[in-house]
Each structure stands twice: as C-alpha cells, then as structure tokens.
Amino acid sequence: MELWEKQMDSQEIFSGRVIRVHKDKVALPNGETSFREVVLHHGGVCVVPLTEQNEVIFVRQFRYAYGKTLLEIPAGKLEQGEDPFDCGVRELKEETGAKAEKFLSLGELYPSPGYTNEVIYMYLAAGLSFGEQSLDEDEFLEVERIPLDQAVEMVLRGEIKDSKTQTAILKTHLLQKAGAV
C-alpha cells in the first residue's frame, strides 16, 4: 500500500503572529476522505553553545503554555524566508551575548508531526566569545552554564523537558564521543 494523503480542500481557521491553523479535507489511500487540523509555523532554530570547558550555555525561561520555567538551549523562531543559520547566529547573540567561531549542523527536528509542519534546525556552536545580550522587549531569561556530561544526565533523568534541547544535547554528546566535535 502506498502511504500518502492528498489535500482536497483547505480552510484557514486562525491566523496569528506566530502560527496559522488550517482545517484540511484529505483523500486517503483507501479512497475515503478525512480531515486534518494543521498548525503552520515558519520553523525555528536552536543552538548548543559549547564552551572550551565543555559547558553548555543554557537559558531558563518561563513558558506560558506550560505554566512553568524550563531549562533550554538558546532558540528562536525563523522569520518568513530567513536562513536558519542566520537565525541561529542571531538568537545565540540575543539570548546569551555569545558569538561563535564555528557552527556545526546537528540536523532537523520535527517536534510534533501529527499536527504541525514546524521544523527546528539544530546547531552546535563552538569557539565562543561573549558580549552583551540583546533580548526582545517581551523576553526574560536567565543564562546558566552546565557541564555537557551533567546536561546529558539531566536529560536522562527527565529534568530537561524540552524536546529540541534533549535532542541537540544528546546528539552533541554522541558526536563528541565519536570524535566528530
């Protein structure tokens, strides 16, 4: 059996500053039809800033949707048409004040493919130098350094809940163990 779904109709039911929501009618491989609610998002970028002392620069930020403060690596949303690498450089500087000499792509993450088209582009940043943060006016966060090995343990114990942070930390750790970083 072929795996596919074909859009037959699409209705925008919400358009906001960050997301749009569509309700689509789709044709299925068995000849039937169904509906899909899809959250459309420009995507985002996250960066693992790794210091010479093998520490990761994290940010603590209140996340309204969860009603709690989360520990995450620096990240941000892509502006429409923005290059992911450029976004990563910008977000690293804005949130931590850091600039990096080297960037390594850690690939793409699909955070919730059941209902959104969001793609998060992951990077590792090394050769860091530090200056001033330049946070957005509605952005409040604290910067924290945690050794990479400790961060891996925190992921495995469930202390770091954010999926992009979990994935990027574990990929960085594995690449480092393989000698690729």
Side-chain angles (χ1 to χ4, degrees):
M1 173 192 291
E2 291 186 53
L3 300 176
W4 57 267
E5 293 182 6
K6 182 179 178 185
Q7 182 187 77
M8 299 171 65
D9 186 43
S10 183
Q11 175 188 7
E12 185 171 89
I13 56 179
F14 175 78
S15 181
R17 190 173 58 89
V18 177
I19 63 166
R20 294 185 346 252
V21 181
H22 285 198
K23 182 177 181 182
D24 293 353
K25 183 177 181 181
V26 297
L28 303 174
N30 65 359
E32 299 293 323
T33 61
S34 190
F35 291 92
R36 302 288 183 250
E37 294 172 348
V38 181
V39 176
L40 302 171
H41 189 283
H42 292 301
V45 171
C46 66
V47 180
V48 178
L50 192 62
T51 69
E52 296 292 324
Q53 296 77 31
N54 211 37
E55 297 170 317
V56 177
I57 309 295
F58 283 91
V59 295
R60 285 196 186 274
Q61 189 170 11
F62 184 82
R63 292 302 193 176
Y64 180 81
Y66 291 101
K68 59 176 85 170
T69 301
L70 298 181
L71 184 65
E72 305 173 47
I73 54 177
K77 68 178 183 62
L78 285 162
E79 300 302 328
Q80 188 167 358
E82 184 178 22
D83 179 79
F85 175 78
D86 293 339
C87 180
V89 169
R90 174 176 48 81
E91 288 295 335
L92 178 63
K93 173 73 172 106
E94 284 179 7
E95 293 190 0
T96 69
K99 290 184 180 180
E101 291 176 6
K102 297 180 264 184
F103 279 86
L104 173 67
S105 173
L106 297 175
E108 299 175 3
L109 173 71
Y110 293 6
S112 263
Y115 68 86
T116 183
N117 71 340
E118 181 180 11
V119 176
I120 299 175
Y121 300 87
M122 301 177 294
Y123 293 94
L124 169 63
L128 304 178
S129 60
F130 295 92
E132 293 294 315
Q133 289 175 301
S134 56
L135 300 174
D136 296 335
E137 65 180 46
D138 66 344
E139 189 172 35
F140 304 91
L141 53 83
E142 297 173 352
V143 177
E144 185 174 332
R145 293 177 182 224
I146 299 174
L148 177 60
D149 289 340
Q150 182 181 340
V152 169
E153 292 170 13
M154 292 171 74
V155 167
L156 296 176
R157 287 193 305 261
E159 296 171 20
I160 296 175
K161 308 280 188 199
D162 176 59
S163 66
K164 68 186 178 302
T165 300
Q166 290 180 356
T167 302
I169 291 295
L170 295 176
K171 284 184 124 179
T172 297
H173 176 72
L174 290 171
L175 286 170
Q176 191 177 66
K177 294 292 182 201
V181 174

